[in-house]
């Protein structure tokens, strides 16, 4: 397992990273590094862009109010995330922020809002979602930021070429680990679906039950909030079908 440097601040930059390059920082990054973290010229940070791995870079002055980064050496090579999509009914602000952050920490490679019959939020702020995803990746040593899709209906989201783990509080499957282990041999990319606070409608359950690529699971004997269910479901999937199962 990789050893992360959690003491050095990390920044996500949407820019190619090459040894020797000098990158100008925008006002937001400059303010954060100089006024929040109290860093000065000569101090080091770690930078990543989701494509070129993680790099060590030194701060340099660029006038009275600006900073640049001098890219020095790669500290970690880029890794490819598991093809794990997280499909969810949108939640209200604070709970959606939490859900996005935890999905990133749990290794989701794509975040897909899905509008269901009982979804209580009509609009999704993708810019806010992305900001939360970047912050989670920066803080947790993650080398990629998930892609994000615009909100779609449930039928449009369902894809036959993906194994769909359907988290349903009314599922008859008593042990989710056993249910996931039964499909471990399938070599399909994985999607995990969590419904809204009000649960899935009967017609939605019936539609999903007819699909051959759907694996229904329950998340234990208690009813979980949607944001808690995200952590629980992704942990189960990662442990049985995901990259946790590859750790020796």
């Amino acid at each position: 397992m990789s050893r992360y440097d959690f003491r050095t601040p990390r920044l996500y930059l949407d820019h190619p990273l090459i040894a020797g390059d000098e990158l100008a920082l925008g006002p937001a990054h400059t303010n954060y590094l100089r006024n929040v973290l109290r860093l000065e010229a000569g101090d080091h940070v770690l930078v990543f862009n989701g494509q070129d791995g993680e790099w060590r870079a030194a701060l340099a002055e660029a006038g009275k109010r600006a900073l640049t980064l001098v890219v020095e050496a790669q500290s970690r090579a880029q890794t490819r995330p598991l093809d794990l999509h997280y499909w969810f009914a949108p939640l209200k602000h604070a709970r959606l922020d939490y859900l996005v952050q935890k999905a990133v920490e749990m290794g989701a490679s794509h975040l897909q809002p899905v509008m269901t019959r009982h979804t209580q939020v009509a609009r999704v702020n993708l810019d806010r979602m992305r900001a939360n995803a970047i912050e989670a990746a920066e803080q947790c040593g993650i080398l990629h930021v998930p892609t994000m899709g615009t909100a779609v209906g449930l039928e449009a989201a369902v894809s036959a070429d993906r194994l769909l783990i359907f988290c349903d509080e009314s599922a008859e499957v008593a042990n989710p680990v056993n249910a996931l282990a039964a499909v471990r041999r399938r070599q399909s990319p994985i999607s995990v679906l969590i419904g809204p606070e009000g649960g899935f409608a009967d017609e939605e359950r019936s539609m999903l039950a007819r699909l051959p690529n759907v694996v229904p699971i329950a998340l234990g004997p208690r009813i979980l909030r949607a944001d808690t269910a995200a952590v629980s479901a992704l942990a189960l999937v990662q442990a049985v079908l995901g990259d946790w199962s590859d750790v020796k």
Side-chain angles (χ1 to χ4, degrees), residues 9-66:
R10 298 179 81 242
L11 290 181
Y12 172 84
L13 296 178
D14 188 12
H15 193 283
L17 299 173
I18 302 171
D21 273 7
E22 186 169 347
L23 308 178
L25 293 176
H29 277 145
T30 297
N31 177 68
Y32 174 67
L33 294 172
R34 174 175 279 160
N35 299 323
V36 178
L37 297 184
R38 303 294 183 183
L39 298 183
E40 301 176 348
D43 289 335
H44 284 83
V45 297
L46 298 172
V47 294
F48 67 105
N49 61 7
Q51 298 178 349
D52 300 322
E54 179 183 79
W55 291 72
R56 186 173 174 83
L59 295 177
E61 295 286 355
K64 293 183 178 180
R65 297 185 178 180

Side-chain angles (χ1 to χ4, degrees), residues 20 26 30 38 60 64 66 83 93 95 101 104 114 133-134 137-138 151 157 165 173 175 202 222-223 225 241 243:
T30 297
R38 303 294 183 183
K64 293 183 178 180
D83 191 352
H93 295 302
R95 292 178 62 193
Q101 292 164 7
V104 173
V114 178
I134 289 173
E138 289 176 336
I165 309 303
V173 179
N175 189 322
D202 289 341
R222 289 165 290 278
I223 300 299
R225 290 179 18 158
L241 302 177
D243 52 20

Side-chain angles (χ1 to χ4, degrees), residues 10-157:
R10 298 179 81 242
L11 290 181
Y12 172 84
L13 296 178
D14 188 12
H15 193 283
L17 299 173
I18 302 171
D21 273 7
E22 186 169 347
L23 308 178
L25 293 176
H29 277 145
T30 297
N31 177 68
Y32 174 67
L33 294 172
R34 174 175 279 160
N35 299 323
V36 178
L37 297 184
R38 303 294 183 183
L39 298 183
E40 301 176 348
D43 289 335
H44 284 83
V45 297
L46 298 172
V47 294
F48 67 105
N49 61 7
Q51 298 178 349
D52 300 322
E54 179 183 79
W55 291 72
R56 186 173 174 83
L59 295 177
E61 295 286 355
K64 293 183 178 180
R65 297 185 178 180
L67 289 173
T68 63
L69 280 179
V70 179
V71 181
E72 295 182 344
Q74 190 181 66
S75 54
R76 285 192 289 155
Q78 184 67 40
T79 55
R80 178 178 296 182
L82 181 71
D83 191 352
L84 175 60
H85 289 194
Y86 181 63
W87 299 351
F88 61 94
L91 305 174
K92 294 181 180 178
H93 295 302
R95 292 178 62 193
L96 180 58
D97 293 347
Y98 175 89
L99 182 151
V100 169
Q101 292 164 7
K102 301 312 167 188
V104 173
E105 293 176 35
M106 300 301 292
S109 62
H110 178 79
L111 304 180
Q112 179 61 61
V114 178
M115 309 305 288
T116 68
R117 172 67 64 87
H118 299 309
T119 298
Q120 298 179 9
V121 176
R123 301 174 64 181
V124 180
N125 187 333
L126 291 180
D127 289 338
R128 179 170 176 149
M129 281 180 54
R130 181 167 174 79
N132 275 287
I134 289 173
E135 181 179 353
E138 289 176 336
Q139 292 180 354
C140 296
I142 296 170
L143 292 178
H144 68 280
V145 175
T147 56
M148 299 182 189
T150 56
V152 297
L154 179 58
E155 291 190 11

Side-chain angles (χ1 to χ4, degrees), residues 87 155-164 186 188-189 211-214:
W87 299 351
E155 291 190 11
V158 175
S159 172
D161 63 349
R162 303 188 67 85
L163 180 66
L164 176 57
R186 295 193 194 181
S188 301
L211 300 176
N213 61 311
V214 172

